[in-house]
Amino acid sequence: MKNNLRKILAGVLAVGLLGGGSAAHAAMTITIVNGNAAGVGFNDPTPVAPVGDNPGTTLGQQRLNAFQYAASIWGATLDSNAAIRVLSTFEPLSCNATSAVLGSAGPTQIFRDFPGALVPGVWYHAALTNKLYGSVADPSTAEIRARFNSNLGNAGCLTGSPFYLGLDGNAGSKVNLVEVLLHEFAHGLGFSTVTSGTTGAYLGGYPSIYDTLAYDNTLGKTWTQMTAAERKFSAVNPRQLVWVGANVTAGAPSVLVGGTPQLQINAPAAIAGTYLAGRAQFGPALDYPGVNKQVMPVVENGQLGLACNALDAENASAVKNRIALVLRGTCAFTVKVLNAQNAGARGVIVVDNVAGSPPPDLGGADPNVTIPAVRISLADGVTLLSGMNLTPGNRSSGVVARIGIDPAQLAGADKAGHVMLYTPNPFQSGSSVSHWDTSAFHNLLMEPAINADLTQHLDAPYDLTLPFMKDIGW
């Protein structure tokens, strides 16, 4: 059988998230294979109280229960006659006091040109291979390898934010392990490419089934139609690589809301256009047509200012009834926006202080903020400043902008309704390409970080993970 399957080991492939028992089901059987040694991980004997429908009375048993519960959700969702095994461990993973690798998972092997393969000459993850082949391709090897952070929440490892081991979704400020598991299992089931994003090279000279439906709007090609150099470019082409699978595209309007955040520069002509923008998680929601005003920079010591203190009279006069341009850094985003608001600004643009695109959202919370704000990249901030006509005594920059949304474009999709893949510049190993873009809203399970508003549903109108799986052959 193996001679017909043309397999390659892919044990090093693991797609991670920042920030033994078995479960049998009518649709598919997923078995959790306990890879931990005695006394650690799933075998940790530390006594704990039952929590959130998880009846385990030791830390190890609660962890295993959570794994089995996530496996049961996927097992009841997908259809396959062949069982799937997930070799799983809890072990120390990379972390510090404020951030951590929660977990990672990926296929142990990939296969191509086997009986039942839907597309010739492309790699399939082992789990999907089993489904299409109709039997277990390699009985000697688990299909998915999963590792999760045993230190999470301890001092020095995302301190104070441990995994929530309940099954009821009431994680509060803790990290919901079930949702992280659903995410990571999805990578092992097929939500990832094995093509290199840093070089553009195919693994073993062949593309992934994933690559057949990843389409770059700038180049007008799928990843299977590109050269390696073009794929390398596409992997860092922010919000231009999209998924063109029919099931995801059909499901997107019921999951994503209309209203992609935008910064539209209307004048001067030399810098006019639409700029990528991250929305603020505080203040009023962006709307249409939005705020259309002249942009004036906050100036401190002759440079673009931070606005961490109340604006002086000169800056207050400059930004009154206008959009204030400020620099990220030193203080919270809410502080910057509130100081501009108190000076009479009608909106705020925060320029990132480090290179990279697309710009993330502005985090924070303050009910006193009543004006809209967006974040733009450092490069785009330099562009805006270059277009300003600022001379001593001149109170007009000449730059006119609109902060708002495009109601005709789904948040996280292009104008054709194709959902965007995550392609930040610079490339982020373990995150780039094999996730949805962070601009998606409502938030999706397969974004590069777990969001607090997720549910345990995998299909539309809640999520697009199951439609994705159908696109690749599940």
Side-chain angles (χ1 to χ4, degrees):
M1 180 176 67
K2 293 181 184 178
N3 291 333
N4 295 327
L5 290 170
R6 297 186 186 179
K7 70 177 182 178
I8 187 169
L9 294 177
V12 297
L13 176 66
V15 187
L17 264 180
L18 297 180
S22 66
H25 311 282
M28 180 172 67
T29 298
I30 299 180
T31 299
I32 304 302
V33 180
N34 180 355
N36 278 130
V40 299
F42 294 114
N43 306 313
D44 191 320
T46 303
V48 295
V51 58
D53 299 329
N54 189 332
T57 56
T58 68
L59 179 58
Q61 186 60 56
Q62 284 195 358
R63 287 169 168 170
L64 185 57
N65 288 346
F67 268 65
Q68 291 174 327
Y69 183 71
S72 74
I73 293 175
W74 270 119
T77 300
L78 298 179
D79 182 30
S80 176
N81 292 326
I84 294 172
R85 296 153 294 170
V86 184
L87 176 58
S88 306
T89 52
F90 270 87
E91 56 192 74
L93 299 177
S94 176
C95 57
N96 57 42
T98 58
S99 65
V101 174
L102 305 179
S104 64
T108 56
Q109 300 179 94
I110 53 176
F111 299 82
R112 63 177 175 86
D113 297 318
F114 51 87
L118 300 176
V119 180
V122 302
W123 295 118
Y124 287 86
H125 288 25
L128 181 52
T129 297
N130 287 0
K131 186 266 192 312
L132 298 175
Y133 184 68
S135 182
V136 175
D138 183 357
S140 67
T141 306
E143 287 72 29
I144 298 173
R145 179 69 170 97
R147 296 175 174 85
F148 285 78
N149 201 331
S150 59
N151 287 334
L152 195 73
N154 296 338
C157 187
L158 201 60
T159 306
S161 298
F163 281 123
Y164 175 70
L165 301 181
L167 313 179
D168 60 355
N170 296 320
S173 62
K174 296 180 179 180
V175 179
N176 192 320
L177 178 58
V178 169
E179 290 174 358
V180 178
L181 289 167
L182 291 174
H183 175 111
E184 293 299 342
F185 288 177
H187 285 311
L189 292 166
F191 204 117
S192 58
T193 180
V194 297
T195 296
S196 171
T198 56
T199 67
Y202 291 143
L203 181 60
Y206 291 88
S208 302
I209 185 62
Y210 191 102
D211 302 345
T212 66
L213 295 171
Y215 180 89
D216 191 290
N217 283 324
T218 301
L219 299 175
K221 299 177 182 179
T222 66
W223 268 34
T224 53
Q225 297 168 330
M226 297 179 193
T227 64
E230 288 174 327
R231 285 188 291 274
K232 180 180 178 180
F233 164 81
S234 179
V236 290
N237 190 17
R239 294 181 179 163
Q240 293 301 315
L241 186 65
V242 298
W243 187 258
V244 293
N247 289 286
V248 168
T249 303
S254 68
V255 178
L256 303 177
V257 302
T260 293
Q262 286 186 340
L263 174 66
Q264 183 73 37
I265 302 300
N266 300 316
I271 63 169
T274 301
Y275 291 71
L276 299 181
R279 70 177 80 222
Q281 296 174 358
F282 53 88
L286 299 180
D287 58 14
Y288 181 83
V291 175
N292 192 50
K293 295 287 181 180
Q294 186 172 174
V295 180
M296 288 296 290
V298 171
V299 179
E300 297 170 357
N301 300 318
Q303 298 179 333
L304 182 62
L306 296 166
C308 288
N309 299 303
L311 273 57
D312 61 25
E314 186 173 359
N315 277 310
S317 175
V319 304
K320 186 176 182 180
N321 291 321
R322 293 171 174 173
I323 296 173
L325 186 72
V326 305
L327 183 65
R328 174 194 175 195
T330 305
C331 62
F333 297 125
T334 51
V335 173
K336 298 173 184 291
V337 177
L338 191 58
N339 283 333
Q341 175 183 301
N342 291 340
R346 298 288 300 279
V348 175
I349 300 169
V350 178
V351 179
D352 215 337
N353 58 359
V354 293
S357 183
D361 287 350
L362 295 170
D366 188 337
N368 296 308
V369 175
T370 60
I371 62 174
V374 294
R375 180 175 180 175
I376 63 173
S377 69
L378 176 59
D380 286 345
V382 170
T383 298
L384 262 63
L385 287 169
S386 73
M388 292 183 176
N389 178 26
L390 295 173
T391 57
N394 181 10
R395 311 308 295 165
S396 175
S397 70
V399 173
V400 179
R402 181 180 69 84
I403 296 175
I405 61 171
D406 180 351
Q409 185 174 348
L410 296 173
D414 66 8
K415 290 186 179 295
H418 298 132
V419 180
M420 299 173 187
L421 296 169
Y422 186 56
T423 52
N425 189 359
F427 187 86
Q428 294 183 13
S429 180
S431 293
S432 290
V433 182
S434 294
H435 289 94
W436 299 128
D437 188 70
T438 55
S439 62
F441 192 79
H442 298 97
N443 288 310
L444 301 175
L445 175 68
M446 297 311 295
E447 292 181 44
I450 291 293
N451 292 289
D453 59 344
L454 296 176
T455 70
Q456 295 177 2
H457 298 284
L458 302 172
D459 200 3
Y462 302 98
D463 199 74
L464 293 171
T465 312
L466 180 57
F468 171 93
M469 293 298 174
K470 292 178 179 178
D471 279 340
I472 63 171
W474 280 100

